[in-house]
Amino acid sequence: MKNTKNLALLALVGVAALVQISFVKNDLSKKALNWKTGVALYSFNKFSFAETIEKADSAGAKFVEGFFFHNLGKDFNGHAIPNLNDEEISKMKSMLDKKGIQMKSLYSGNGKNLEEWNTYFTFSKKMGIEFLTCEPEKKDWNLLDSLAGAYKMRIAIHEHAKGSSYYWHPDSVVAAMKGRPNIWACADLGHWVRSGLDPVKCLKTLEGRVICVHVKDLDGANNLKANDVVAGTGVLDYPAIVKELKRQNFNGMAYIEREGNWNNNMPDVKQALEYLSKLSR
């Protein structure tokens, strides 16, 4: 009799567990993803700053990521970001404000020395930028963690593809973040797939430390020469990626980075932003 009761109890526990798992799955599928979507201005790198902001606005973006080597055009005397004076920085802020666009981050690559890093941080602080997206040398990890703390900002380590970046695999990003509270991760989904990695597994490796996602798509996986295509039309499994981001309660930035159709890719960016909006619901 005892055995019968025990079996019945176990069966009830099993049913309850299955119901709970089913509820969690269904609940996750209905959960909205509270990311902030925008565009990496590198998508429009052939154009002046004024033109890139016009394109971002036309695509419906309210958030952008700048890049340090952008030739900003005649409005800024042909300067790039490291050479801007305070007047030019104010002009840049004004141009963004008029469009209702916020520059949340700056791709700053790999600073050569303390002076160069300070230039990026100083500009970013004046602009109200929240984090630098970069690929620093290993020797600079402690320096950047310290600088980010001093400027009350964060670092987001970005990954390029295998063979062109030390950070192509998330394990190297984990190593940089270890014991450094101001160093986080920018997940470049396309470059992971280009390098033969599974972006969902990569996101799991970086769980809790991803503050930014670069959204792109490819016409082939595990191929360093794969072509960039509009997000949602290539081989990346974005429903699975979004499901994982929902599980992690991701609420950071997601930038479209369209690296193709360079002279006329604003419609592609707009299409990709609309795709992200549908996925996030």
Side-chain angles (χ1 to χ4, degrees):
M1 190 71 169
K2 275 187 178 180
N3 287 339
T4 303
K5 286 182 177 179
N6 288 340
L7 287 171
L9 181 61
L10 286 172
L12 285 171
V13 170
V15 169
L18 287 171
V19 169
Q20 185 176 13
I21 290 169
S22 176
F23 173 77
V24 169
K25 283 183 177 179
N26 290 335
D27 188 54
L28 190 61
S29 67
K30 294 177 182 178
K31 178 181 177 182
L33 183 57
N34 294 318
W35 57 11
K36 300 175 185 69
T37 59
V39 59
L41 292 185
Y42 181 70
S43 303
F44 309 132
N45 68 76
K46 293 187 178 296
F47 301 91
S48 70
F49 183 75
E51 290 169 313
T52 63
I53 295 304
E54 188 64 42
K55 288 176 180 291
D57 183 54
S58 295
K62 294 301 178 186
F63 303 99
V64 297
E65 179 174 78
F67 59 104
F68 78 97
F69 55 92
H70 191 179
N71 184 331
L72 301 168
K74 63 181 181 180
D75 292 311
F76 300 92
N77 301 308
H79 288 165
I81 281 172
N83 304 116
L84 295 180
N85 57 38
D86 284 348
E87 184 181 347
E88 290 167 332
I89 291 173
S90 294
K91 180 185 287 188
M92 179 177 281
K93 288 180 70 175
S94 178
M95 292 169 74
L96 288 164
D97 289 344
K98 285 178 180 177
K99 295 291 186 182
I101 294 174
Q102 297 179 53
M103 186 180 287
K104 287 286 190 177
S105 56
L106 173 72
Y107 178 78
S108 55
N110 177 20
K112 296 175 184 176
N113 49 47
L114 175 60
E115 181 182 4
E116 196 164 295
W117 283 119
N118 269 320
T119 297
Y120 297 141
F121 275 109
T122 300
F123 165 80
S124 297
K125 199 68 178 177
K126 291 176 180 177
M127 286 290 294
I129 285 171
E130 297 176 1
F131 60 92
L132 295 181
T133 304
C134 56
E135 298 177 47
E137 291 185 32
K138 190 174 180 179
K139 67 178 179 62
D140 289 334
W141 288 352
N142 289 332
L143 170 66
L144 284 181
D145 185 56
S146 178
L147 284 173
Y151 281 93
K152 294 182 171 52
M153 293 174 58
R154 289 187 288 183
I155 291 295
I157 289 187
H158 173 263
E159 315 83 22
H160 270 102
K162 185 177 182 179
S164 60
S165 174
Y166 172 77
Y167 301 105
W168 71 274
H169 196 285
D171 286 350
S172 57
V173 183
V174 171
M177 294 188 298
K178 189 175 181 180
R180 300 177 183 91
N182 300 309
I183 296 183
W184 293 60
C186 168
D188 193 300
L189 306 171
H191 284 317
W192 279 338
V193 171
R194 183 174 272 117
S195 300
L197 301 176
D198 178 346
V200 172
K201 289 181 179 178
C202 291
L203 287 169
K204 289 180 186 292
T205 298
L206 299 171
E207 183 169 353
R209 298 299 295 273
V210 179
I211 58 173
C212 176
V213 176
H214 278 186
V215 176
K216 53 170 68 79
D217 214 337
L218 307 173
D219 64 0
N222 195 20
N223 178 3
L224 296 178
K225 295 183 178 180
N227 295 308
D228 186 276
V229 298
V230 180
T233 68
V235 299
L236 271 74
D237 186 353
Y238 272 102
I241 290 167
V242 166
K243 183 179 178 181
E244 175 58 23
L245 289 171
K246 284 182 179 181
R247 188 190 68 79
Q248 294 190 24
N249 294 313
F250 177 73
N251 63 356
M253 300 304 309
Y255 295 116
I256 300 297
E257 193 171 41
R258 177 69 170 106
E259 298 183 338
N261 193 20
W262 292 107
N263 291 314
N264 187 34
N265 61 13
M266 187 281 289
D268 300 346
V269 171
K270 183 176 182 179
Q271 179 180 332
L273 283 170
E274 290 169 351
Y275 177 65
L276 294 190
S277 179
K278 290 177 184 177
L279 283 176
S280 66
R281 296 169 191 162

